[in-house]
Each structure stands twice: as structure tokens, then as C-alpha cells.
Amino acid sequence: MEQKLLEIQNLTKVYTLGSVISRIHITAVDNVCFDVKPAEIFALAGESGCGKTTTAKIVLGFEEATSGTILHNGKVEDRKQKAWRTEGIQAIFQDPFATFNPLKTVDSYFFDTVRNFRLTENRRTAIEIINQKLHAVGLSYEEFAGRYPNEFSGGQLQRISIARALMTNPRLLIADEPVSMVDASLRMAIVNLFKTLRDDLGVSVLYITHDLATAYYVCDRIAIMFRGNIVEMGTVEQVLMQPRHPYTRLLRESIPEADPHKRWQTTVNLSELEHEEYLRVGCKFAGRCPNVMEICKRQVPADITIDDVLVKCHLYSESPQAEPAAAGAHR
Ligand SMILES: Nc1ncnc2c1ncn2[C@@H]1O[C@H](COP(=O)(O)OP(=O)(O)O)[C@@H](O)[C@H]1O
Ligand SMILES: [Mg+2]
């Protein structure tokens, strides 16, 4: 049987918004299933507000799921034993400047990790370990010791946060939009780093992004999310080069930018479109789909597997009711 490092089964997260009078429920993550294998880079992609960060937060234990199961190395996570979350899984966030306190030297974070995880009591050995992790991301201890976050570029700081994540020899990195705040010219180099870590250290990465181009270059498999659902999933080659779902096709044409100000916010302001789509009956993409059919407005499409690719779209179902809507009808 194929080994799975992380397995997400029927993960659902419902948020309740609004006042007592006008309360609405948003299923930000809707019955999501996927897995990440050892030494694999798996992309969770989709435009802003589709449930990527919510999924990551639940896997990291920052947020409770409404329902669903998370297996780590084939075992159900034990809520009381959070060790695997901190040792086996490490997170890399969007804004490297928010990761580090501007008043603390960056090396102090590494020495804290050495202490907290009792990696060694010897300072010289600690520096060796730190240097080794910095080398893995193309930096060295000399160019980093005693310096403050503002003495580094965003790209360097993101490399430093990756090195720090590596301190505990994690099996899985969860990287939520790790390069969207980094200069465009440096993005590929950082994303390529994930490939090196996969190949040299056997680390897996759950790479969360709205950017299909970087996903295509470094990922093995990809899941495309839309309003809480995975609408297409398979190898990057299959999904991005022969997209089947109309949403994947649209996303390929027009890659939306992530909003750099929208981080792990707690106050939520749903756009009207987001609202409308989350609450839509039938297929959530029906309102924007160029291939919309009558059935799409009534019935949620099933997950269909074609050539090992999962597609959630009525175009591929053999339902006899799948009749095309009147020409030009997009709603
Ligand atoms: N704490 C929260 N309370 C209520 N709604 C939330 C909360 N966090 C996220 N949401 C909503 O859930 C949906 C998915 O959000 P998110 O997971 O951040 O998407 P993404 O990371 O893909 O941009 C969005 O509509 C968002 O507004
Ligand atoms: Mg997000």
C-alpha cells in the first residue's frame, strides 16, 4: 500500500457570520479529501477566499474542524499530543517580516528552538546545526549572526524562516503563500528551494498558492479549490496542461493576485461574490462557468475520476439530466 504522510478525510469547516437577525453559515472547507505522500510537493491552489488557509490552519491545529479526520502517518491525530504538529510538521507563512520580532536578532529564534527542542546543550554544536540548516537554504551563519530582521530582504528572511522550520527535521512543511510578498524576481529561487529540500532531505511540502505558474514548476500533484471544494485534483501535468474543470481553465488564463494585506486575519469581510458563491445551490461555480448547464444550478456535481484525475463537474457525469442551458445563459 502506498504510504501517506498526511491524509485529510472529509474535512469540513463551517463559519457562522452576521448578527442574530441575519445569520449565515459559510462552509469554508466542504468535505475536502486529499493526501500528501513522503517526499512530495502537493499544491493546494485557488483564488483568494476558497478555503486554503482554513485548511492549513486546521492541519496545524490553529483552528478546530467542524467535522472530518486528519491522519498523520496513518494514525488519527491525538489532540492532546501536539508533538507531531511542532516537530513533524512546520509552517511557513506569507509575511516573513511578521514571523520575526523586529527587536530580536534572527539567530535568537534558532537558539530558542535548540533550547525548546533540547537539540544540544553545547553552543558550538548548536551553531553547527544552525549553520547546516542555513546552508540548506543557501545562507550561512556568519552572514546572519547578530543581525536584526530589517537587515535582510524579504527573500532572505523567507529563506531564514524556512531554515528555522528545518531545525526540528520536519517531514512536512506547510507553506501558505510563502512567496506572494517576496519580489517577483526572487520567487522562483525560493520555490525551487522546496524542490531541493524534497530531493535532498525527503521533506514533503503542502504548498498553498494562488499562483499556478510556481505550482507547475515545483509540485508533483495539485488540488484546485473553489469555494470550499476541491474541483480538480491530479498530477500537475494532467491538471494544468489538460485541465478538465472549467474553473481550472479559467484560473489558468487569469491568475488572480493574492491580497498581501489579507493575512491570518480574524475579522472577516466577505465580498458579495464570495457570499453568493458560497451560498449557491448546486455547483458553486455555475454563476461564472462558460459551460453551465441547467443541472449545475440544482445539483452539486459528484467527484468523478477520469484517468486518475478527480473532477467535480457535471460535464463529466453521465447523468441523463445533463442538458445544456439556453445559449448565453450564464446564471
Ligand atoms: N475566522 C473566520 N470567520 C469567518 N469566516 C472566515 C474566517 N476565516 C476565513 N473565513 C472565510 O472562509 C472563506 C475561506 O477563507 P480562507 O481559508 O482564508 O481562504 P483562502 O486562504 O483561500 O484565501 C472566506 O470566505 C473567508 O472570508
Ligand atoms: Mg489564504
Side-chain angles (χ1 to χ4, degrees):
M1 213 180 74
E2 212 172 7
Q3 210 187 345
K4 287 166 185 170
L5 187 60
L6 177 75
E7 190 171 359
I8 310 288
Q9 297 174 337
N10 310 100
L11 190 69
T12 297
K13 177 70 187 182
V14 179
Y15 286 119
T16 304
L17 305 168
S19 62
V20 185
I21 315 152
S22 60
R23 180 159 291 168
I24 60 157
H25 302 284
I26 297 281
T27 309
V29 179
D30 187 3
N31 208 25
V32 159
C33 303
F34 67 91
D35 58 75
V36 182
K37 300 186 174 69
E40 177 182 55
I41 307 182
F42 186 94
L44 199 54
E47 69 195 305
S48 178
C50 68
K52 306 183 297 295
T53 295
T54 304
T55 305
K57 282 181 177 173
I58 296 170
V59 175
L60 288 164
F62 297 156
E63 189 91 70
E64 285 282 330
T66 305
S67 60
T69 310
I70 298 173
L71 297 154
H72 185 244
N73 282 324
K75 291 192 211 75
V76 178
E77 65 167 296
D78 181 346
R79 290 257 157 219
K80 287 179 222 101
Q81 277 190 331
K82 293 195 179 176
W84 66 264
R85 287 199 201 126
T86 46
E87 288 175 56
I89 301 187
Q90 286 286 342
I92 291 146
F93 302 104
Q94 184 178 17
D95 182 358
F97 289 97
T99 308
F100 298 97
N101 178 340
L103 304 176
K104 263 180 87 169
T105 57
V106 286
D107 56 2
S108 64
Y109 284 89
F110 285 70
F111 287 110
D112 286 350
T113 308
V114 169
R115 249 192 317 278
N116 294 342
F117 288 88
R118 301 201 177 99
L119 302 182
T120 178
E121 302 223 319
N122 180 303
R123 190 174 162 85
R124 186 173 283 273
T125 315
I127 291 173
E128 269 167 33
I129 299 170
I130 295 168
N131 206 9
Q132 185 199 348
K133 305 302 177 190
L134 288 166
H135 273 295
V137 303
L139 295 167
S140 70
Y141 185 75
E142 297 80 65
E143 57 184 321
F144 133 116
R147 291 170 68 187
Y148 288 88
N150 68 355
E151 298 179 58
F152 297 97
S153 70
Q156 282 173 319
L157 217 48
Q158 199 58 305
R159 280 172 188 273
I160 292 170
S161 65
I162 296 170
R164 183 179 163 229
L166 293 175
M167 287 294 287
T168 58
N169 296 322
R171 304 283 317 280
L172 175 67
L173 297 179
I174 297 186
D176 191 356
E177 304 272 8
V179 292
S180 59
M181 294 183 74
V182 170
D183 278 353
S185 59
L186 300 172
R187 280 181 199 163
M188 260 337 279
I190 292 183
V191 177
N192 270 326
L193 198 60
F194 291 135
K195 237 176 164 169
T196 312
L197 297 177
R198 175 196 65 189
D199 297 342
D200 296 354
L201 305 174
V203 171
S204 297
V205 183
L206 178 58
Y207 176 55
I208 296 178
T209 187
H210 65 282
D211 176 17
L212 298 187
T214 54
Y216 178 69
Y217 284 116
V218 300
C219 295
D220 300 298
R221 287 188 301 140
I222 188 165
I224 307 286
M225 267 186 103
F226 183 78
R227 304 295 178 231
N229 294 125
I230 289 182
V231 295
E232 188 161 358
M233 176 161 67
T235 64
V236 279
E237 213 48 54
Q238 287 169 311
V239 172
L240 299 180
M241 296 321 266
Q242 294 137 31
R244 288 184 166 92
H245 198 287
Y247 177 65
T248 312
R249 293 190 193 137
L250 179 96
L251 203 60
R252 243 176 54 128
E253 306 296 302
S254 57
I255 293 169
E257 271 294 312
D259 181 352
H261 303 294
K262 194 182 166 199
R263 288 207 307 267
W264 294 55
Q265 59 191 20
T266 42
T267 52
V268 183
N269 206 348
L270 282 181
S271 76
E272 289 230 344
L273 179 68
E274 242 177 273
H275 249 161
E276 195 187 306
E277 288 178 337
Y278 266 117
L279 300 178
R280 190 175 273 280
V281 183
C283 175
K284 301 216 176 338
F285 187 54
R288 285 198 257 165
C289 182
N291 307 96
V292 69
M293 300 179 288
E294 279 305 326
I295 191 175
C296 309
K297 302 175 200 169
R298 295 195 305 270
Q299 198 175 309
V300 176
D303 293 347
I304 299 155
T305 306
I306 314 164
D307 298 338
D308 289 331
V309 176
L310 175 146
V311 194
K312 194 179 183 66
C313 175
H314 283 300
L315 283 176
Y316 304 91
S317 65
E318 283 174 14
S319 162
Q321 315 166 48
E323 75 284 7
H330 281 248
R331 260 166 206 273

